[in-house]
Amino acid sequence: MRVAIVGTGAIARGSHLPALTALGAGQPLEIVAAVDIDAAAVAAFCTDAGIAHPYTDLGLMLTEQRPDLVTLATPPRFHRDQTVAALRAGAWVWCEKPPCPSLEDFDAIEAAEGPDGAGPYAAIVFQHRFGSGSRHVKDLLGKQAMGRPLVAHCQTTWFRDEAYYSVPWRGTWSSEGGGPSMGHGIHQMDLMLDLLGPWAEIRAMAGRLVHDVETEDVSTALIRFEGGAMATVVNSVLSPDEVSRIRIDCERATVELVHLYGHRNADWRITPAPGVTSEEADAWRDFGPDVPSSHEAQLKGLLADLRAGRRPRSSGADGRKSLELVAALYKAAFTGSTVRAGEIGPGDPFYGALHGNAPGWAPEHRERSAEVPA
């Protein structure tokens, strides 16, 4: 399997390359090329990683190297064009979150995929729903072993200072697509959706309390799920005591995950309700061998799907659902209305841009310095 990495910054070095290297041991997988518009950066990346072919032109790389898989580690504003180019060249794509700055962009990507059963497909990096912990809890909830899910809390309260936002593409709608709801909280919201299933309606608020950016720096939301469960969601980059957290209260137990950037079995806790036998509670708490959530855990499944020619998880409708929830959160927050699942489509201002041209939130029209994929 021939793989190319596009974007050679921190996420490529810290996550994509190590995952590919680990999974390449013992199976036919070769990283044949890397791409970045910074010639010096891509040359250094290839030298350090032992990759034979550095490129500054994605199209040329696709033509000359014909990779089977392209991993994208670039800012969100580039994802649509880069993904479509790779799909049209016959390559599968594994794209960093946020997926792209709008539902319209995502639908353009999905339209460029091959038909079901053939590919190529584009999957989004949502690594928090992969690993032994999330798999075990998803199975328990799916079987309603702990009873019906009733109440949930989804929390991404992180801290980002002014230096973080000094990077030109951060904090802008055109480049990043949104604030912490899009760029940070989308991981926990994706895991929440994967565990609880389809949502029905959302109400929300958003604020720009500290940072001088186009997007929000905090948001809160209330969500009702199709199954009846109700959830609160908090996304923040203003919180010195950082935590990522999901809590689900079911009829017979509470399940809670507390971590920051990734979780292991030990980060999950199940508290049974009175009357539950110790034998049943012990069975719920048996997570099996520990497989941490990680890029590697997700990529392992994606490579198996590629070889089998089947659609991978977090692609197509399964990948779109988290972006749709983010778009609905922004629409609810900026308009003060209740937004229902499925209502944002062509013709809706929040379909083409997550700010929806809302007064006070739509970006000013001004020249910005050129962004560099990182």
Side-chain angles (χ1 to χ4, degrees), residues 87 106-114:
L87 290 170
F106 192 96
D107 289 346
I109 289 172
E110 190 172 358
E113 293 182 331

Side-chain angles (χ1 to χ4, degrees), residues 17-261:
L17 181 60
L20 287 164
T21 301
L23 293 172
Q27 61 178 305
L29 185 153
E30 180 185 5
I31 306 173
V32 296
V35 183
D36 198 292
I37 63 172
D38 186 329
V42 70
F45 182 85
C46 288
T47 297
D48 294 344
I51 299 171
H53 303 289
Y55 286 86
T56 57
D57 185 301
L58 174 62
L60 182 62
M61 185 280 291
L62 292 170
T63 299
E64 292 185 350
Q65 298 301 324
R66 308 300 299 178
D68 302 296
L69 174 67
V70 171
T71 76
L72 294 183
T74 54
R77 67 164 296 182
F78 299 104
H79 290 172
R80 172 179 172 168
D81 290 345
Q82 291 173 340
T83 300
V84 169
L87 290 170
R88 288 177 175 169
W92 285 41
V93 177
W94 192 42
C95 178
E96 267 300 329
K97 64 82 194 167
C100 46
S102 72
L103 287 169
E104 182 178 29
D105 287 336
F106 192 96
D107 289 346
I109 289 172
E110 190 172 358
E113 293 182 331
D116 282 344
Y121 300 118
I124 309 303
V125 176
F126 283 135
Q127 75 272 20
H128 286 203
R129 52 160 120 162
F130 295 84
S132 52
S134 53
R135 181 175 63 245
H136 177 65
V137 171
K138 181 179 174 69
D139 181 61
L140 290 176
L141 293 172
K143 296 186 298 188
Q144 293 197 357
M146 300 177 291
R148 291 182 300 122
L150 303 173
V151 183
H153 179 69
C154 178
Q155 176 183 354
T156 305
T157 44
W158 295 356
F159 187 81
R160 297 294 182 265
D161 58 16
E162 291 302 318
Y164 175 85
Y165 284 104
S166 67
V167 177
W169 61 269
R170 288 185 175 142
T172 66
W173 293 106
S174 63
S175 298
E176 200 167 14
S181 311
M182 177 69 157
H184 304 85
I186 195 171
H187 270 309
Q188 296 314 298
M189 290 190 290
D190 178 76
L191 178 55
M192 175 183 66
L193 291 177
D194 198 53
L195 295 176
L196 292 179
W199 61 279
E201 61 181 14
I202 182 171
R203 304 175 186 181
M205 293 188 295
R208 194 184 290 120
L209 303 185
V210 173
H211 297 291
D212 182 18
V213 293
E214 292 180 356
T215 64
E216 89 286 3
D217 56 15
V218 61
S219 71
T220 63
L222 301 175
I223 301 173
R224 188 189 306 273
F225 285 82
E226 286 186 3
M230 293 185 286
T232 62
V233 176
V234 180
N235 301 303
S236 166
V237 287
L238 310 178
S239 308
D241 185 7
E242 296 185 294
V243 68
S244 303
R245 178 171 171 256
I246 287 182
R247 172 183 167 131
I248 302 172
D249 296 325
C250 299
E251 293 174 301
R252 305 180 64 224
T254 291
V255 57
E256 185 174 33
L257 167 66
V258 179
H259 67 116
L260 188 55
Y261 299 139

Side-chain angles (χ1 to χ4, degrees), residues 345-371:
D348 190 303
F350 288 88
Y351 179 72
L354 294 184
H355 55 72
N357 291 316
W361 290 102
E364 298 176 359
H365 297 288
R366 65 182 187 270
E367 293 295 324
R368 295 191 58 82
S369 57
E371 290 97 347

